């Protein structure tokens, strides 16, 4: 594990009561830095409110329920990512996840057509952990066709069904690893189907790479833009680009998450405070940092209430 400087006392105070809406922890089929029960205990020590358990391969609502009982006072929330392991763009899986208490539904990530190139090995190329697993699955003869949400330029019927389930249960829809055209089309379809809360997953990540004018449009229309710590910490997204994205789209429509849990990255429980320190150093006010790290994520976690 790489050493990282501890967060400042000011940053730790600013993020008290926060939810981290994007963490990757054990149990998982990919190596992770920490397990969900230990993470909940560390969140309790830091006076952090809770986290969303994200797995690229498995539903996590039942895990989250166990964590909440084992560590009272920390709100672990479940999620579902619509990759092939759960049937892909599967409205039945969304319905059952909702009935199990899931809060977030992500569009495809590791199986997204937009990410198909990531699981291709080439000499000297360092693959993400999930891409290594995808490559192993392909080599084992378990390859599945990439998942896209568009067909003939229109949102696929099964995606519309997913959106209707999300709307009925008042869940949060996140765009996952979709490409630019898919994100914009999905957002419009989600509004048409009555989805109340849409998150644009790390819009500045290289495989999303949304131009600022599109980010501004989405923010004006009510989407929340997720800014993740891990991609900038690992130098995939320049810090200045992330800061510019927040400034251009407005603090009110942005929120911070960590996307942490990888063995080589900082402790998950440090992530939001480390992020806060970066923002303070970049000139954001403590009030702005509090809105980004605490107020906006709490509204998403709790269905519109802080």
């Amino acid at each position: 594990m790489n050493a990282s400087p501890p967060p400042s006392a000011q940053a730790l105070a600013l993020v008290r009561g926060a939810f981290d809406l994007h963490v990757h922890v054990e149990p998982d089929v990919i190596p992770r830095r920490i397990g969900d029960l230990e993470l909940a205990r560390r969140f309790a020590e830091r006076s952090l409110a809770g986290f969303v358990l994200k797995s690229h391969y498995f539903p996590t609502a039942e895990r989250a329920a166990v964590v909440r009982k084992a560590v009272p006072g920390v709100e672990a929330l479940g999620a579902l990512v619509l990759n092939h392991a759960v049937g892909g763009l599967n409205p039945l899986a969304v319905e059952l996840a909702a009935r199990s208490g899931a809060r977030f539904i992500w569009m495809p990530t590791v199986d997204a057509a937009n990410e198909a190139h990531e699981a291709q090995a080439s000499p000297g190329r360092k693959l993400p952990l999930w891409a290594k697993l995808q490559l192993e699955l392909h080599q084992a003869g378990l390859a599945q066709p990439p998942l896209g949400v568009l067909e003939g330029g229109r949102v696929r019927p099964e995606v519309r069904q997913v959106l209707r389930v999300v709307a009925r249960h008042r869940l949060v829809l996140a765009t996952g690893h979709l490409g630019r055209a898919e994100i914009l089309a999905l957002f419009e379809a989600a509004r048409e189907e009555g989805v109340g809360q849409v998150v644009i997953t790390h819009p500045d990540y290289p495989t999303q790479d949304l131009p600022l004018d599109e980010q501004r449009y989405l923010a004006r229309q009510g989407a929340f833009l997720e800014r993740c710590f891990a991609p900038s910490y690992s130098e995939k997204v320049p810090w200045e680009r992330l800061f510019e994205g927040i400034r251009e789209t407005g603090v009110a429509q942005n929120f911070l998450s960590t996307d942490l849990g990888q063995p080589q990255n900082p402790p998950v429980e440090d992530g939001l405070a480390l992020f806060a320190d970066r923002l303070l150093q970049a000139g954001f006010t403590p009030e702005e940092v509090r809105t980004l790290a605490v107020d906006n994520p709490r509204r998403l976690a709790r269905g519109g209430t802080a």
Side-chain angles (χ1 to χ4, degrees), residues 86-236:
V86 299
L89 300 165
N90 182 358
L92 177 59
V94 178
E95 178 70 30
L96 294 176
R99 293 183 185 216
S100 298
R103 179 75 191 123
F104 270 63
I105 304 296
W106 268 275
M107 282 288 123
T109 56
V110 299
D111 289 320
N114 183 57
E115 291 282 19
H117 66 284
E118 281 291 324
Q120 297 175 3
S122 59
R125 183 172 180 231
K126 184 179 179 181
L127 293 175
L129 292 174
W130 64 262
K132 290 180 182 178
L133 177 56
Q134 290 294 102
L135 185 60
E136 291 173 13
L137 295 174
H138 289 187
Q139 291 170 342
L142 298 171
Q144 297 289 324
L147 292 168
V149 302
L150 302 179
E151 187 174 35
R154 296 177 177 272
V155 172
R156 300 170 68 97
E158 58 268 39
V159 176
R160 291 272 183 181
Q161 285 184 284
V162 165
L163 297 177
R164 288 193 283 272
V165 177
V166 169
R168 186 170 70 253
H169 289 282
R170 298 183 180 179
L171 307 179
V172 178
L173 176 74
T175 56
H177 292 193
L178 301 181
R180 285 174 54 195
E182 292 179 295
I183 290 170
L184 293 169
L186 179 75
F187 177 72
E188 298 298 339
R191 291 201 304 169
E192 292 167 5
E193 300 294 348
V195 176
Q197 293 179 312
V198 179
V199 166
I200 310 302
T201 308
H202 42 54
D204 30 29
Y205 195 77
T207 53
Q208 282 64 66
D209 196 25
L210 289 180
L212 283 175
D213 61 335
E214 293 179 4
Q215 293 189 39
R216 284 191 292 265
Y217 167 78
L218 290 163
R220 287 196 302 269
Q221 300 304 313
F224 279 93
L225 301 160
E226 178 193 32
R227 310 295 175 175
C228 294
F229 176 83
S232 291
Y233 178 82
S234 60
E235 300 182 346
K236 295 181 180 71

Side-chain angles (χ1 to χ4, degrees), residues 1 45 124 216 269 280 283:
M1 298 179 188
E45 293 169 359
R216 284 191 292 265
E269 68 274 13
L280 292 169

Side-chain angles (χ1 to χ4, degrees), residues 52-55 58-61 77-81 97 102-106:
V52 173
L53 292 167
K54 183 179 182 183
S55 167
F58 306 111
T60 63
L77 301 176
L80 182 72
V81 184
R103 179 75 191 123
F104 270 63
I105 304 296
W106 268 275

Side-chain angles (χ1 to χ4, degrees), residues 40-53:
R41 296 184 188 104
R42 294 189 185 183
F43 265 50
E45 293 169 359
R46 294 289 179 85
S47 299
L48 295 166
F51 48 83
V52 173
L53 292 167

